[in-house]
C-alpha cells in the first residue's frame, strides 16, 4: 500500500519549513513579526502566527525571543533605531543652527510615525514591550537624548539639572508626538488635507506648527 504524505506528517512539516543560515533566523522572525503586527495588531499577536508567516517551526520564535512580549520588545527597539535614522536623515538636510536641527528631528519623528503607524503605536502606546529590557531602554534613551541635547543647546541649560529646561523638552516632545498622532488618526487631514499637498508644502506647514512655541 502506498502511503501519501500529508501536510501534517513530520516529513512534510520539515520539508515545508524554510532553512536559514545561522544568524539569519532572528532577522527573518522580526520581519515576519512586523508584518503580523501591521496586519493584525498587538491583541491577536502570537508566536505561532509569526512562525507560520516566517515558514519555520512553532518553537523557533520562542527559542530566539522567549515569548511574544520578548519578540515585540525586540521589534520596538528596532523601531527606535529607525526613528533615529529618520531624524538623522532630516538633520543632514537641514541647516546646522540649533532651531533648524530641532525642527529637523521633529520632521523626522513625523516621517517615521506616518511611515510606520503600527510600529509607532507599539513603541509609544502599547504596554506589550518590556520597557526595562536593556536593548529597548538603550534605543529609546538614545532617541530621547537627541531631543535633550538640542534643547540644552537651545536654552543653555541641562534639562536633567534645570526644571524649566526639562519642561521645554517635554513640551517639544508632546507637540511633535501629538502632531504625529493626529496625522495618523486622520483628524488633521480633514482640517488641512496634508495628504493632498506636495511633500515640500506639508513640511512647511509642519515646520510652521513646530516653530510657533519657539517664536513666542
Amino acid at each position: 500500500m502506498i502511503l501519501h504524505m500529508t501536510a501534517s506528517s513530520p516529513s512534510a512539516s520539515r520539508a515545508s519549513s524554510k532553512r536559514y543560515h545561522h544568524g539569519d533566523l532572528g532577522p527573518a522572525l522580526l520581519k515576519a513579526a512586523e508584518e503580523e503586527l501591521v496586519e493584525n495588531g498587538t491583541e491577536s499577536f502570537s508566536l505561532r502566527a509569526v512562525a507560520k508567516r516566517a515558514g519555520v517551526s512553532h518553537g523557533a520564535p520562542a527559542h530566539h525571543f522567549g515569548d511574544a512580549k520578548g519578540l515585540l520588545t525586540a521589534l520596538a527597539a528596532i523601531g527606535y533605531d529607525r526613528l533615529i535614522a529618520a531624524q538623522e536623515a532630516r538633520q543632514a538636510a537641514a541647516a546646522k543652527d540649533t532651531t533648524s536641527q530641532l525642527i529637523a528631528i521633529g520632521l523626522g519623528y513625523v516621517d517615521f510615525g506616518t511611515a510606520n503607524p503600527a510600529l509607532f503605536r507599539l513603541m509609544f502606546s502599547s504596554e506589550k514591550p518590556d520597557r526595562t529590557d536593556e536593548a529597548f531602554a538603550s534605543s529609546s534613551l538614545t532617541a530621547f537624548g537627541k531631543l535633550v541635547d538640542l534643547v540644552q543647546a537651545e536654552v543653555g541649560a541641562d534639562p536633567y539639572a534645570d526644571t524649566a529646561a526639562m519642561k521645554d523638552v517635554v513640551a517639544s516632545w508632546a507637540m511633535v508626538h501629538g502632531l504625529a498622532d493626529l496625522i495618523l488618526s486622520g483628524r488633521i487631514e480633514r482640517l488641512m488635507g496634508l495628504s493632498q499637498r506636495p511633500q515640500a508644502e506639508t513640511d512647511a506647514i509642519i515646520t510652521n506648527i513646530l516653530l510657533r512655541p519657539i517664536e513666542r
Side-chain angles (χ1 to χ4, degrees):
M1 180 175 66
I2 298 175
L3 296 178
H4 293 284
M5 190 176 293
T6 66
S8 60
S9 70
S11 297
S13 178
R14 286 194 297 270
S16 65
S17 295
K18 295 180 181 177
R19 294 182 179 275
Y20 292 92
H21 294 292
H22 181 70
D24 292 342
L25 181 55
L29 289 169
L30 286 165
K31 180 177 182 293
E34 185 170 3
E35 292 171 354
E36 183 67 21
L37 179 70
V38 169
E39 289 188 20
N40 298 310
T42 58
E43 294 309 312
S44 61
F45 187 90
S46 70
L47 295 185
R48 181 176 290 270
V50 171
K52 181 178 180 181
R53 188 179 289 271
V56 298
S57 69
H58 293 157
H63 176 73
H64 275 263
F65 299 101
D67 54 18
K69 190 177 190 70
L71 180 48
L72 286 171
T73 299
L75 188 59
I78 289 173
Y80 278 105
D81 294 337
R82 288 191 202 166
L83 168 60
I84 292 167
Q87 291 178 314
E88 289 179 346
R90 285 287 192 167
Q91 286 181 278
K96 301 309 176 187
D97 63 280
T98 306
T99 298
S100 296
Q101 290 291 296
L102 274 167
I103 295 301
I105 66 168
L107 288 168
Y109 196 102
V110 172
D111 288 344
F112 170 78
T114 53
N116 304 274
L119 195 52
F120 184 82
R121 293 188 177 103
L122 173 68
M123 292 158 58
F124 294 109
S125 304
S126 174
E127 295 303 316
K128 298 291 185 179
D130 176 6
R131 298 181 186 277
T132 66
D133 175 79
E134 184 176 348
F136 180 96
S138 176
S139 294
S140 60
L141 188 59
T142 298
F144 185 64
K146 291 180 72 66
L147 176 59
V148 171
D149 290 346
L150 283 170
V151 168
Q152 180 170 346
E154 179 77 9
V155 303
D158 180 1
Y160 288 111
D162 185 276
T163 301
M166 185 55 77
K167 287 179 181 177
D168 289 333
V169 170
V170 173
S172 298
W173 185 17
M175 169 166 280
V176 73
H177 184 84
L179 182 59
D181 194 56
L182 287 169
I183 292 172
L184 286 178
S185 69
R187 287 175 170 81
I188 284 184
E189 184 63 26
R190 295 195 300 271
L191 300 174
M192 310 193 79
L194 295 182
S195 68
Q196 306 303 314
R197 300 175 185 270
Q199 186 63 51
E201 188 176 343
T202 297
D203 288 351
I205 291 171
I206 293 173
T207 296
N208 182 262
I209 292 170
L210 296 178
L211 277 172
R212 293 177 75 83
I214 296 175
E215 292 175 338
R216 289 183 178 179

